[in-house]
Amino acid sequence: MSMISTSLSGPKSATSYCAPEFSGLRRLCPNNNTNNSHSPSFLRFTSPRKPLRRVLAMAGTGQNGTKESITKLISDLNSAKMESDVDVVVAPPFIYIDQVKSSLTDRIEISAQNSWVSKGGAFTGEISVEQLKDIGCKWVILGHSERRHVIGEDNQFIGKKAGYALSQGVGVIACIGELLEEREAGKTFDVCYQQLKAYADAVPSWDNIVIAYEPVWAIGTGVVATPAQAQEVHVAVRDWLKNNVSAEVASKTRIIYGGSVNGGNCAELAKQKDIDGFLVGGASLKGPEFATIVNSVTSKKVAA
Ligand code: PGA
């Protein structure tokens, strides 16, 4: 099922690689400290949110999985103990959605990994939003880095897809995130803002949108953003929403983090005030580990 690492581009591992140490605007520090845990004061943003957003844990993406492995995963998830105040969503490959929907507990919602940009019709090989609704999908992931950087979808096309899905009542997990070279060039915020603007230009409302910040260099690489790096961008995204949409949307919209999240690093990330959950690829292949990530909401509550 979903719980699968995204891999159109083959295995992604870089265990000896270190998280890039740049802020969105410029280098944070000149030394080689890989545990950077502070933002420079000139990057501080006001955060208008109250920490009352429900956490969302999303297992998703990729082409991996077989009927057999998915059956096992469903069984593990059905028997896992998950904190009740977390929304849990899984995004299997299209062809397994029906299998998942019919055997997974209703406590977990289903998402697709993509959808067509407008009303369904003669678009061979595409899946329409209408079909997703028909099969029981409440959500769709749009703008994932692999759609952007492997398939070549641009900001405007992705924005249009989001607008259409929302107009049909399907919630959108709206992905954003910078490439490594963009981060190193100090363009993280600019890239994220452009991606956000394309969504903002096309969506009728933000009521049913979750933003997933996924730095591309962290997806499937084993190189997770530090809690400070993730929080810095999440605050910037919230600030952008405040300035460009409304204070209410900024305060209500959930911003989840994705990119090499696992059972070992989720608790520290979850403590960050503006991280409202996770989009998990590889670590969601294992039901118990995904449950650990879902339950990291408890460390958020303790930190609040
Ligand atoms: P990962 O994948 O958790 O394996 O890094 C995240 C994603 O595919 O969005």
Side-chain angles (χ1 to χ4, degrees), residues 4-7 12 60-62 144-146 175 214 218-222 258-262 279-284:
I4 310 167
S5 70
T6 46
S7 266
K12 297 176 243 178
T61 86
H144 190 277
S145 80
E146 286 144 17
C175 300
E214 295 204 292
I219 297 176
T221 59
S260 296
V261 175
N262 61 37
L279 199 169
V280 187
S284 68

Side-chain angles (χ1 to χ4, degrees), residues 158-234:
I158 294 162
K160 272 178 77 178
K161 284 185 169 193
Y164 188 71
L166 291 165
S167 78
Q168 298 305 302
V170 173
V172 171
I173 310 292
C175 300
I176 61 170
E178 82 287 358
L179 296 162
L180 179 59
E181 56 263 36
E182 291 166 338
R183 172 160 283 259
E184 289 177 345
K187 293 184 181 154
T188 296
F189 295 161
D190 289 345
V191 169
C192 291
Y193 295 162
Q194 281 162 16
Q195 294 168 346
L196 286 169
K197 181 170 186 316
Y199 287 118
D201 287 346
V203 301
S205 130
W206 287 77
D207 286 349
N208 217 2
I209 302 180
V210 170
I211 295 172
Y213 168 58
E214 295 204 292
V216 181
W217 47 268
I219 297 176
T221 59
V223 184
V224 65
T226 65
Q229 284 175 322
Q231 169 68 10
E232 179 186 43
V233 179
H234 283 226

Side-chain angles (χ1 to χ4, degrees), residues 25-47:
L25 297 178
R26 63 194 78 179
R27 280 169 198 271
L28 282 176
C29 15
N31 62 29
N32 282 331
N33 175 9
T34 52
N35 284 323
N36 193 335
S37 61
H38 58 276
S39 303
S41 55
F42 60 84
L43 288 179
R44 219 161 268 147
F45 292 90
T46 54
S47 177

Side-chain angles (χ1 to χ4, degrees), residues 7 24 31 69 115 129 134 149 168 211 216 249 261 268 277 288:
S7 266
N31 62 29
S69 68
S115 60
V129 175
D134 185 43
H149 300 295
Q168 298 305 302
I211 295 172
V216 181
V249 165
V261 175
E268 286 307 308

Side-chain angles (χ1 to χ4, degrees), residues 37-241:
S37 61
H38 58 276
S39 303
S41 55
F42 60 84
L43 288 179
R44 219 161 268 147
F45 292 90
T46 54
S47 177
R49 71 181 173 53
K50 301 189 190 84
L52 293 174
R53 296 173 296 270
R54 252 179 97 82
V55 165
L56 182 137
M58 170 103 202
T61 86
Q63 294 180 312
N64 304 306
T66 60
K67 278 167 94 167
E68 194 183 338
S69 68
I70 285 170
T71 300
K72 162 90 172 81
L73 202 42
I74 291 171
S75 151
D76 286 348
L77 289 179
N78 283 345
S79 57
K81 190 191 162 313
M82 296 184 185
E83 293 288 323
S84 59
D85 51 356
V86 179
D87 292 331
V88 184
V89 181
V90 297
F94 289 124
I95 55 168
Y96 298 118
I97 288 176
D98 210 25
Q99 180 193 353
V100 173
K101 178 74 185 154
S102 61
S103 46
L104 188 65
T105 164
D106 288 348
R107 187 255 178 273
I108 299 179
E109 295 185 339
I110 312 283
S111 171
Q113 298 179 13
N114 187 27
S115 60
W116 180 236
V117 68
S118 58
K119 188 170 166 47
F123 303 104
T124 302
E126 292 292 336
I127 308 284
S128 72
V129 175
E130 292 80 7
Q131 289 172 322
L132 296 180
K133 278 173 70 175
D134 185 43
I135 207 166
C137 281
K138 296 223 169 102
W139 298 92
V140 60
I141 299 173
L142 294 173
H144 190 277
S145 80
E146 286 144 17
R147 301 299 314 175
R148 293 178 185 275
H149 300 295
V150 181
I151 313 293
E153 294 183 4
D154 66 21
N155 289 350
Q156 281 64 39
F157 190 63
I158 294 162
K160 272 178 77 178
K161 284 185 169 193
Y164 188 71
L166 291 165
S167 78
Q168 298 305 302
V170 173
V172 171
I173 310 292
C175 300
I176 61 170
E178 82 287 358
L179 296 162
L180 179 59
E181 56 263 36
E182 291 166 338
R183 172 160 283 259
E184 289 177 345
K187 293 184 181 154
T188 296
F189 295 161
D190 289 345
V191 169
C192 291
Y193 295 162
Q194 281 162 16
Q195 294 168 346
L196 286 169
K197 181 170 186 316
Y199 287 118
D201 287 346
V203 301
S205 130
W206 287 77
D207 286 349
N208 217 2
I209 302 180
V210 170
I211 295 172
Y213 168 58
E214 295 204 292
V216 181
W217 47 268
I219 297 176
T221 59
V223 184
V224 65
T226 65
Q229 284 175 322
Q231 169 68 10
E232 179 186 43
V233 179
H234 283 226
V235 174
V237 168
R238 214 175 286 292
D239 205 56
W240 189 92
L241 290 174

